[in-house]
Amino acid sequence: TQTVSQSDAHVTVFEGDSVELRCNYSYGGSIYLSWYIQHHGHGLQFLLKYYSGNPVVQGVNGFEAEFSKSDSSFHLRKASVHWSDSAVYFCAVRASSGSWQLIFGSGTQLTVMP
Amino acid sequence: ETAVFQTPNYHVTQVGNEVSFNCKQTLGHDTMYWYKQDSKKLLKIMFSYNNKQLIVNETVPRRFSPQSSDKAHLNLRIKSVEPEDSAVYLCASSPTYNQDTQYFGPGTRLLVL
C-alpha cells in the first residue's frame, strides 16, 4: 500500500522568496507522483506529475518538482512566489499497478506575505 | 475555465434529512469521482464511476449512494445525514480510470445541524 506524507502543515514566505514544499512517499514498486493546488473555496487543480525520465518536472505558473528515489521524495519548488500562490498544496501518489486510486497527502498551506 | 460543475454550492440541513448533490462534467471523460474533504482539508475518495460502472466503493456508510445517469453525470445522495457528514464534497473526472490528472469541481459544502 502506498502512503504519502507532507510534513509541513503551514509554510509562510514573503513575495519574491523561493519556496520548497515537501512530499515523501512510501511504496515498494513503481509509482506515479503529482501535485495539486487548492485555492480557498475552490476545487483542486492539477499542477504537475512524474512517472519516469527526467526527475525534474515543470508545471504551470513556474512550479517544478524533483523526484528522488533515494529519499522517496517529490518536493515542489518555486523560485519566486507571488501572493496569488497562497493556497493549499496537495501531493498525491498512485501505484502503477494494483490499486489505481490517487492517495492524497494532508496538504500544506502556503501563505505568501506581501 | 470550469468544466466540472457542482450544485448546490452550499447546503445546510438537519440531522436525519436526505440530501442530494449533483455533478456534471463537460470534458467527455469516462471516469468520475466523489471525494470528501473534512475540516482539516483531508481528502478521502468515496466513489468512482467508470463509464457508468462503479469501480470502487470505499468503506463509506451505507447512507451514501452514488447515482449516475450517464458518464457525464455523477450525483451523490445521502439518506439521513449525520453531524459527521458536515464536509466539502468534491466531484472530479478523468479521461479514464488510471489517470493522475483529475479535474475537480468547486465543491459542495454541507453543514449538518
Side-chain angles (χ1 to χ4, degrees), chain A residues 32-34 36 38 40-46 49 88 90 93-94 100-102 104-107 109, chain B residues 31 33 35 37 40-43 45 48 55-56 58 90 97-107:
Chain A
Y32 293 90
L33 295 149
S34 53
Y36 284 76
Q38 184 179 32
H40 181 69
H42 293 268
L44 279 71
Q45 183 180 354
F46 173 79
K49 67 179 177 182
V88 180
F90 292 94
V93 301
R94 180 173 69 84
W100 50 269
Q101 298 174 40
L102 269 184
F104 286 91
S106 54
Q109 170 70 59
Chain B
T31 308
Y33 312 83
Y35 289 87
Q37 187 172 38
K40 296 182 179 179
K41 299 289 188 181
L42 294 175
L43 280 158
I45 188 166
S48 177
I55 54 174
V56 65
E58 293 298 311
L90 292 164
Y97 68 91
N98 59 352
Q99 295 283 311
D100 302 281
T101 307
Q102 295 185 8
Y103 298 79
F104 284 79

Short mmCIF file of all heavy atoms in Angstrom, two decimals, chain A residues 32-34 36 38 40-46 49 88 90 93-94 100-102 104-107 109, chain B residues 31 33 35 37 40-43 45 48 55-56 58 90 97-107:
data_model
loop_
_atom_site.label_atom_id
_atom_site.label_comp_id
_atom_site.label_asym_id
_atom_site.label_seq_id
_atom_site.Cartn_x
_atom_site.Cartn_y
_atom_site.Cartn_z
N TYR A 32 3.37 6.71 -9.51
CA TYR A 32 3.11 8.00 -10.13
C TYR A 32 2.99 9.03 -9.01
O TYR A 32 2.38 8.78 -7.98
CB TYR A 32 1.79 7.98 -10.91
CG TYR A 32 1.78 7.08 -12.12
CD1 TYR A 32 1.40 5.76 -12.00
CD2 TYR A 32 2.11 7.58 -13.36
CE1 TYR A 32 1.37 4.93 -13.12
CE2 TYR A 32 2.09 6.75 -14.49
CZ TYR A 32 1.71 5.44 -14.36
OH TYR A 32 1.69 4.63 -15.46
N LEU A 33 3.55 10.21 -9.24
CA LEU A 33 3.50 11.28 -8.25
C LEU A 33 2.96 12.54 -8.91
O LEU A 33 3.29 12.84 -10.06
CB LEU A 33 4.90 11.55 -7.70
CG LEU A 33 5.50 10.39 -6.91
CD1 LEU A 33 7.00 10.36 -7.03
CD2 LEU A 33 5.08 10.49 -5.44
N SER A 34 2.18 13.27 -8.19
CA SER A 34 1.63 14.51 -8.74
C SER A 34 1.40 15.53 -7.62
O SER A 34 1.43 15.19 -6.43
CB SER A 34 0.30 14.24 -9.47
OG SER A 34 -0.61 13.54 -8.66
N TYR A 36 -1.15 18.95 -6.65
CA TYR A 36 -2.35 19.73 -6.93
C TYR A 36 -2.36 20.96 -6.04
O TYR A 36 -1.79 20.96 -4.94
CB TYR A 36 -3.62 18.90 -6.62
CG TYR A 36 -3.95 17.86 -7.64
CD1 TYR A 36 -3.24 16.65 -7.70
CD2 TYR A 36 -4.98 18.05 -8.55
CE1 TYR A 36 -3.56 15.70 -8.65
CE2 TYR A 36 -5.31 17.09 -9.50
CZ TYR A 36 -4.59 15.92 -9.53
OH TYR A 36 -4.92 14.96 -10.47
N GLN A 38 -5.03 23.96 -4.30
CA GLN A 38 -6.42 24.29 -3.99
C GLN A 38 -6.48 25.69 -3.39
O GLN A 38 -6.04 25.91 -2.26
CB GLN A 38 -7.04 23.28 -3.02
CG GLN A 38 -8.52 23.55 -2.75
CD GLN A 38 -9.14 22.53 -1.79
OE1 GLN A 38 -8.48 22.02 -0.90
NE2 GLN A 38 -10.42 22.25 -1.97
N HIS A 40 -8.54 28.83 -1.81
CA HIS A 40 -9.63 28.86 -0.84
C HIS A 40 -10.99 28.91 -1.52
O HIS A 40 -11.23 29.75 -2.40
CB HIS A 40 -9.47 30.08 0.08
CG HIS A 40 -10.53 30.17 1.13
ND1 HIS A 40 -10.61 29.28 2.17
CD2 HIS A 40 -11.57 31.02 1.27
CE1 HIS A 40 -11.65 29.59 2.92
NE2 HIS A 40 -12.24 30.65 2.40
N GLY A 41 -11.85 27.98 -1.16
CA GLY A 41 -13.20 27.95 -1.70
C GLY A 41 -13.32 27.33 -3.09
O GLY A 41 -14.39 27.40 -3.71
N HIS A 42 -12.24 26.73 -3.56
CA HIS A 42 -12.27 26.13 -4.89
C HIS A 42 -11.89 24.65 -4.83
O HIS A 42 -11.44 24.14 -3.80
CB HIS A 42 -11.29 26.87 -5.81
CG HIS A 42 -11.70 28.26 -6.10
ND1 HIS A 42 -12.46 28.62 -7.19
CD2 HIS A 42 -11.48 29.42 -5.41
CE1 HIS A 42 -12.68 29.93 -7.18
NE2 HIS A 42 -12.09 30.44 -6.12
N GLY A 43 -12.06 23.99 -5.95
CA GLY A 43 -11.63 22.60 -6.06
C GLY A 43 -10.13 22.52 -6.33
O GLY A 43 -9.45 23.54 -6.43
N LEU A 44 -9.63 21.31 -6.43
CA LEU A 44 -8.21 21.12 -6.68
C LEU A 44 -7.90 21.32 -8.16
O LEU A 44 -8.72 21.03 -9.02
CB LEU A 44 -7.77 19.71 -6.26
CG LEU A 44 -7.50 19.47 -4.79
CD1 LEU A 44 -8.78 19.49 -3.97
CD2 LEU A 44 -6.75 18.15 -4.59
N GLN A 45 -6.69 21.80 -8.41
CA GLN A 45 -6.24 22.00 -9.78
C GLN A 45 -4.90 21.31 -9.95
O GLN A 45 -3.98 21.50 -9.15
CB GLN A 45 -6.12 23.50 -10.07
CG GLN A 45 -5.72 23.82 -11.50
CD GLN A 45 -5.60 25.32 -11.73
OE1 GLN A 45 -5.93 26.12 -10.86
NE2 GLN A 45 -5.13 25.70 -12.89
N PHE A 46 -4.77 20.52 -11.01
CA PHE A 46 -3.55 19.78 -11.28
C PHE A 46 -2.39 20.73 -11.60
O PHE A 46 -2.55 21.70 -12.34
CB PHE A 46 -3.80 18.85 -12.46
CG PHE A 46 -2.58 18.14 -12.98
CD1 PHE A 46 -2.08 17.03 -12.32
CD2 PHE A 46 -1.94 18.59 -14.12
CE1 PHE A 46 -0.97 16.37 -12.80
CE2 PHE A 46 -0.82 17.95 -14.61
CZ PHE A 46 -0.34 16.83 -13.95
N LYS A 49 3.11 16.27 -12.80
CA LYS A 49 3.21 14.87 -12.41
C LYS A 49 4.53 14.29 -12.90
O LYS A 49 5.18 14.82 -13.81
CB LYS A 49 2.04 14.06 -12.96
CG LYS A 49 2.03 13.92 -14.47
CD LYS A 49 0.85 13.09 -14.90
CE LYS A 49 0.77 12.99 -16.43
NZ LYS A 49 -0.42 12.21 -16.86
N VAL A 88 -3.56 25.88 -0.64
CA VAL A 88 -3.16 24.59 -0.07
C VAL A 88 -2.65 23.72 -1.20
O VAL A 88 -3.29 23.63 -2.26
CB VAL A 88 -4.34 23.90 0.65
CG1 VAL A 88 -3.90 22.57 1.25
CG2 VAL A 88 -4.91 24.81 1.74
N PHE A 90 -1.38 19.94 -2.41
CA PHE A 90 -1.50 18.52 -2.10
C PHE A 90 -0.57 17.71 -2.99
O PHE A 90 -0.57 17.87 -4.20
CB PHE A 90 -2.94 18.04 -2.33
CG PHE A 90 -3.95 18.59 -1.37
CD1 PHE A 90 -4.67 19.72 -1.69
CD2 PHE A 90 -4.18 17.97 -0.15
CE1 PHE A 90 -5.61 20.24 -0.81
CE2 PHE A 90 -5.12 18.47 0.73
CZ PHE A 90 -5.83 19.62 0.40
N VAL A 93 -0.08 10.34 -4.74
CA VAL A 93 0.65 9.20 -5.27
C VAL A 93 -0.34 8.17 -5.80
O VAL A 93 -1.47 8.09 -5.35
CB VAL A 93 1.55 8.55 -4.20
CG1 VAL A 93 2.55 9.53 -3.66
CG2 VAL A 93 0.72 7.96 -3.07
N ARG A 94 0.14 7.41 -6.75
CA ARG A 94 -0.67 6.30 -7.28
C ARG A 94 0.28 5.20 -7.72
O ARG A 94 1.26 5.46 -8.40
CB ARG A 94 -1.53 6.76 -8.46
CG ARG A 94 -2.38 5.66 -9.05
CD ARG A 94 -3.33 6.21 -10.10
NE ARG A 94 -2.64 6.65 -11.31
CZ ARG A 94 -2.30 5.84 -12.30
NH1 ARG A 94 -2.54 4.55 -12.23
NH2 ARG A 94 -1.71 6.33 -13.37
N TRP A 100 -5.39 1.69 -8.32
CA TRP A 100 -5.12 2.82 -9.19
C TRP A 100 -5.59 4.14 -8.59
O TRP A 100 -5.53 5.17 -9.22
CB TRP A 100 -5.83 2.60 -10.53
CG TRP A 100 -7.26 2.24 -10.31
CD1 TRP A 100 -7.78 1.00 -10.19
CD2 TRP A 100 -8.35 3.14 -10.10
NE1 TRP A 100 -9.12 1.07 -9.95
CE2 TRP A 100 -9.51 2.36 -9.88
CE3 TRP A 100 -8.47 4.53 -10.08
CZ2 TRP A 100 -10.74 2.93 -9.66
CZ3 TRP A 100 -9.70 5.10 -9.86
CH2 TRP A 100 -10.82 4.29 -9.65
N GLN A 101 -6.06 4.09 -7.34
CA GLN A 101 -6.59 5.29 -6.72
C GLN A 101 -5.48 6.29 -6.43
O GLN A 101 -4.36 5.92 -6.10
CB GLN A 101 -7.28 4.94 -5.42
CG GLN A 101 -8.46 4.04 -5.55
CD GLN A 101 -8.98 3.65 -4.19
OE1 GLN A 101 -9.03 4.46 -3.27
NE2 GLN A 101 -9.37 2.41 -4.04
N LEU A 102 -5.84 7.56 -6.52
CA LEU A 102 -4.95 8.62 -6.08
C LEU A 102 -5.04 8.74 -4.56
O LEU A 102 -6.14 8.86 -4.02
CB LEU A 102 -5.35 9.96 -6.70
CG LEU A 102 -4.73 10.38 -8.02
CD1 LEU A 102 -5.20 11.77 -8.39
CD2 LEU A 102 -3.23 10.31 -7.98
N PHE A 104 -4.01 11.13 -1.55
CA PHE A 104 -3.56 12.50 -1.32
C PHE A 104 -2.90 12.64 0.04
O PHE A 104 -3.32 12.02 1.03
CB PHE A 104 -4.74 13.47 -1.40
CG PHE A 104 -5.23 13.70 -2.80
CD1 PHE A 104 -6.24 12.91 -3.35
CD2 PHE A 104 -4.69 14.71 -3.58
CE1 PHE A 104 -6.69 13.12 -4.65
CE2 PHE A 104 -5.14 14.93 -4.88
CZ PHE A 104 -6.14 14.14 -5.41
N GLY A 105 -1.87 13.50 0.10
CA GLY A 105 -1.30 13.87 1.38
C GLY A 105 -2.22 14.82 2.11
O GLY A 105 -3.30 15.18 1.62
N SER A 106 -1.80 15.21 3.29
CA SER A 106 -2.65 16.04 4.16
C SER A 106 -2.64 17.50 3.78
O SER A 106 -3.40 18.29 4.33
CB SER A 106 -2.20 15.89 5.62
OG SER A 106 -0.82 16.16 5.73
N GLY A 107 -1.78 17.88 2.83
CA GLY A 107 -1.79 19.24 2.34
C GLY A 107 -0.85 20.17 3.11
O GLY A 107 -0.58 19.97 4.30
N GLN A 109 -0.46 24.33 3.67
CA GLN A 109 -1.00 25.68 3.44
C GLN A 109 0.17 26.63 3.21
O GLN A 109 0.98 26.84 4.12
CB GLN A 109 -1.82 26.14 4.64
CG GLN A 109 -2.22 27.62 4.58
CD GLN A 109 -3.25 27.93 3.51
OE1 GLN A 109 -4.35 27.38 3.51
NE2 GLN A 109 -2.89 28.83 2.58
N THR B 31 -14.45 8.67 -16.55
CA THR B 31 -14.42 8.36 -15.11
C THR B 31 -14.74 9.59 -14.28
O THR B 31 -14.24 10.68 -14.55
CB THR B 31 -13.04 7.81 -14.70
OG1 THR B 31 -12.68 6.74 -15.56
CG2 THR B 31 -13.06 7.31 -13.27
N TYR B 33 -15.51 10.90 -10.00
CA TYR B 33 -15.21 10.55 -8.61
C TYR B 33 -15.98 11.46 -7.66
O TYR B 33 -16.30 12.61 -7.99
CB TYR B 33 -13.71 10.76 -8.31
CG TYR B 33 -12.76 10.18 -9.31
CD1 TYR B 33 -12.44 10.88 -10.48
CD2 TYR B 33 -12.13 8.95 -9.08
CE1 TYR B 33 -11.53 10.37 -11.39
CE2 TYR B 33 -11.22 8.44 -10.00
CZ TYR B 33 -10.93 9.15 -11.16
OH TYR B 33 -10.04 8.64 -12.07
N TYR B 35 -15.15 12.81 -3.73
CA TYR B 35 -14.25 12.87 -2.59
C TYR B 35 -14.95 13.61 -1.45
O TYR B 35 -15.73 14.52 -1.69
CB TYR B 35 -12.98 13.64 -2.93
CG TYR B 35 -12.02 12.96 -3.87
CD1 TYR B 35 -12.16 13.08 -5.25
CD2 TYR B 35 -10.96 12.20 -3.38
CE1 TYR B 35 -11.27 12.47 -6.11
CE2 TYR B 35 -10.06 11.59 -4.23
CZ TYR B 35 -10.22 11.73 -5.59
OH TYR B 35 -9.33 11.13 -6.45
N GLN B 37 -13.90 16.03 1.71
CA GLN B 37 -12.82 16.81 2.31
C GLN B 37 -13.28 17.34 3.66
O GLN B 37 -14.23 18.13 3.72
CB GLN B 37 -12.38 17.95 1.40
CG GLN B 37 -11.14 18.68 1.91
CD GLN B 37 -10.60 19.69 0.93
OE1 GLN B 37 -11.34 20.38 0.24
NE2 GLN B 37 -9.28 19.77 0.82
N LYS B 40 -10.17 19.59 8.19
CA LYS B 40 -8.71 19.69 8.20
C LYS B 40 -8.13 19.56 6.79
O LYS B 40 -6.92 19.41 6.63
CB LYS B 40 -8.11 18.62 9.11
CG LYS B 40 -8.49 18.78 10.57
CD LYS B 40 -7.83 17.73 11.44
CE LYS B 40 -8.20 17.93 12.91
NZ LYS B 40 -7.58 16.92 13.78
N LYS B 41 -8.99 19.61 5.80
CA LYS B 41 -8.60 19.55 4.39
C LYS B 41 -8.20 18.15 3.92
O LYS B 41 -7.73 18.01 2.79
CB LYS B 41 -7.44 20.52 4.08
CG LYS B 41 -7.77 21.98 4.35
CD LYS B 41 -8.74 22.51 3.33
CE LYS B 41 -8.94 24.01 3.48
NZ LYS B 41 -9.91 24.55 2.51
N LEU B 42 -8.37 17.15 4.77
CA LEU B 42 -8.03 15.80 4.37
C LEU B 42 -9.01 15.30 3.33
O LEU B 42 -10.23 15.43 3.49
CB LEU B 42 -8.02 14.87 5.58
CG LEU B 42 -6.93 15.15 6.61
CD1 LEU B 42 -7.11 14.25 7.82
CD2 LEU B 42 -5.55 14.96 6.00
N LEU B 43 -8.47 14.70 2.27
CA LEU B 43 -9.27 14.21 1.15
C LEU B 43 -9.40 12.70 1.22
O LEU B 43 -8.41 11.99 1.36
CB LEU B 43 -8.61 14.57 -0.18
CG LEU B 43 -8.80 15.98 -0.69
CD1 LEU B 43 -7.70 16.32 -1.65
CD2 LEU B 43 -10.16 16.11 -1.37
N ILE B 45 -11.34 9.50 -0.93
CA ILE B 45 -12.20 9.11 -2.04
C ILE B 45 -13.37 8.29 -1.52
O ILE B 45 -13.22 7.45 -0.63
CB ILE B 45 -11.41 8.34 -3.11
CG1 ILE B 45 -12.30 8.12 -4.34
CG2 ILE B 45 -10.88 7.02 -2.57
CD1 ILE B 45 -11.54 7.69 -5.57
N SER B 48 -16.13 5.97 -7.25
CA SER B 48 -15.66 6.27 -8.59
C SER B 48 -16.53 5.51 -9.58
O SER B 48 -16.89 4.37 -9.33
CB SER B 48 -14.20 5.87 -8.75
OG SER B 48 -13.79 6.10 -10.07
N ILE B 55 -16.58 1.34 -9.98
CA ILE B 55 -15.36 0.56 -9.97
C ILE B 55 -14.62 0.62 -8.64
O ILE B 55 -13.67 -0.12 -8.45
CB ILE B 55 -14.40 0.98 -11.11
CG1 ILE B 55 -14.11 2.49 -11.08
CG2 ILE B 55 -14.97 0.60 -12.43
CD1 ILE B 55 -13.06 2.90 -12.09
N VAL B 56 -15.03 1.52 -7.79
CA VAL B 56 -14.51 1.47 -6.42
C VAL B 56 -15.58 1.99 -5.50
O VAL B 56 -16.31 2.90 -5.83
CB VAL B 56 -13.22 2.31 -6.26
CG1 VAL B 56 -13.49 3.78 -6.47
CG2 VAL B 56 -12.63 2.07 -4.88
N GLU B 58 -15.42 2.76 -1.56
CA GLU B 58 -14.70 2.71 -0.31
C GLU B 58 -15.65 2.44 0.85
O GLU B 58 -16.86 2.48 0.72
CB GLU B 58 -13.94 4.02 -0.08
CG GLU B 58 -12.83 4.25 -1.06
CD GLU B 58 -11.76 3.19 -0.96
OE1 GLU B 58 -11.32 2.91 0.16
OE2 GLU B 58 -11.38 2.61 -1.98
N LEU B 90 -16.29 16.98 -3.02
CA LEU B 90 -15.68 17.36 -4.28
C LEU B 90 -15.91 16.29 -5.33
O LEU B 90 -15.66 15.11 -5.10
CB LEU B 90 -14.16 17.56 -4.10
CG LEU B 90 -13.74 18.76 -3.26
CD1 LEU B 90 -12.29 18.63 -2.83
CD2 LEU B 90 -13.95 20.05 -4.03
N TYR B 97 -9.86 5.57 -15.98
CA TYR B 97 -9.74 5.31 -14.55
C TYR B 97 -8.30 5.31 -14.06
O TYR B 97 -8.06 5.35 -12.89
CB TYR B 97 -10.39 3.97 -14.21
CG TYR B 97 -9.67 2.77 -14.77
CD1 TYR B 97 -8.70 2.12 -14.05
CD2 TYR B 97 -10.00 2.27 -16.03
CE1 TYR B 97 -8.05 1.01 -14.56
CE2 TYR B 97 -9.35 1.17 -16.55
CZ TYR B 97 -8.38 0.54 -15.81
OH TYR B 97 -7.74 -0.54 -16.33
N ASN B 98 -7.33 5.26 -14.92
CA ASN B 98 -5.94 5.19 -14.47
C ASN B 98 -5.17 6.45 -14.84
O ASN B 98 -4.06 6.41 -15.33
CB ASN B 98 -5.24 3.96 -15.03
CG ASN B 98 -5.24 3.96 -16.56
OD1 ASN B 98 -5.90 4.80 -17.16
ND2 ASN B 98 -4.51 3.06 -17.15
N GLN B 99 -5.80 7.58 -14.60
CA GLN B 99 -5.20 8.86 -14.92
C GLN B 99 -4.87 9.63 -13.65
O GLN B 99 -5.66 9.70 -12.72
CB GLN B 99 -6.18 9.71 -15.75
CG GLN B 99 -6.48 9.12 -17.11
CD GLN B 99 -5.35 9.34 -18.09
OE1 GLN B 99 -4.87 10.45 -18.22
NE2 GLN B 99 -4.93 8.29 -18.75
N ASP B 100 -3.67 10.22 -13.61
CA ASP B 100 -3.29 11.03 -12.47
C ASP B 100 -3.86 12.43 -12.55
O ASP B 100 -3.98 13.11 -11.54
CB ASP B 100 -1.77 11.11 -12.37
CG ASP B 100 -1.16 9.75 -12.25
OD1 ASP B 100 -1.18 9.20 -11.15
OD2 ASP B 100 -0.69 9.24 -13.27
N THR B 101 -4.18 12.87 -13.73
CA THR B 101 -4.71 14.21 -13.89
C THR B 101 -6.21 14.16 -13.75
O THR B 101 -6.92 13.67 -14.63
CB THR B 101 -4.32 14.79 -15.26
OG1 THR B 101 -2.92 14.68 -15.44
CG2 THR B 101 -4.75 16.25 -15.35
N GLN B 102 -6.68 14.63 -12.61
CA GLN B 102 -8.11 14.70 -12.37
C GLN B 102 -8.53 16.16 -12.36
O GLN B 102 -7.80 17.03 -11.91
CB GLN B 102 -8.46 14.02 -11.05
CG GLN B 102 -8.17 12.53 -11.06
CD GLN B 102 -8.63 11.82 -9.80
OE1 GLN B 102 -9.30 12.39 -8.94
NE2 GLN B 102 -8.26 10.55 -9.68
N TYR B 103 -9.74 16.38 -12.84
CA TYR B 103 -10.29 17.73 -12.93
C TYR B 103 -11.41 17.83 -11.90
O TYR B 103 -12.36 17.04 -11.92
CB TYR B 103 -10.82 18.00 -14.34
CG TYR B 103 -9.74 17.93 -15.39
CD1 TYR B 103 -9.28 16.71 -15.85
CD2 TYR B 103 -9.17 19.10 -15.88
CE1 TYR B 103 -8.27 16.63 -16.80
CE2 TYR B 103 -8.17 19.04 -16.85
CZ TYR B 103 -7.72 17.80 -17.30
OH TYR B 103 -6.73 17.75 -18.23
N PHE B 104 -11.27 18.83 -11.02
CA PHE B 104 -12.18 18.93 -9.90
C PHE B 104 -13.21 20.04 -10.09
O PHE B 104 -12.93 21.08 -10.69
CB PHE B 104 -11.39 19.23 -8.61
CG PHE B 104 -10.69 18.03 -8.05
CD1 PHE B 104 -9.50 17.59 -8.60
CD2 PHE B 104 -11.22 17.35 -6.96
CE1 PHE B 104 -8.84 16.47 -8.08
CE2 PHE B 104 -10.57 16.23 -6.44
CZ PHE B 104 -9.39 15.80 -7.00
N GLY B 105 -14.37 19.80 -9.52
CA GLY B 105 -15.36 20.84 -9.41
C GLY B 105 -15.09 21.71 -8.21
O GLY B 105 -14.17 21.43 -7.43
N PRO B 106 -15.87 22.76 -8.01
CA PRO B 106 -15.63 23.70 -6.91
C PRO B 106 -16.05 23.17 -5.55
O PRO B 106 -15.69 23.75 -4.52
CB PRO B 106 -16.47 24.92 -7.31
CG PRO B 106 -17.56 24.34 -8.15
CD PRO B 106 -16.96 23.21 -8.89
N GLY B 107 -16.81 22.10 -5.54
CA GLY B 107 -17.21 21.50 -4.26
C GLY B 107 -18.59 21.94 -3.81
O GLY B 107 -19.10 23.00 -4.19
#
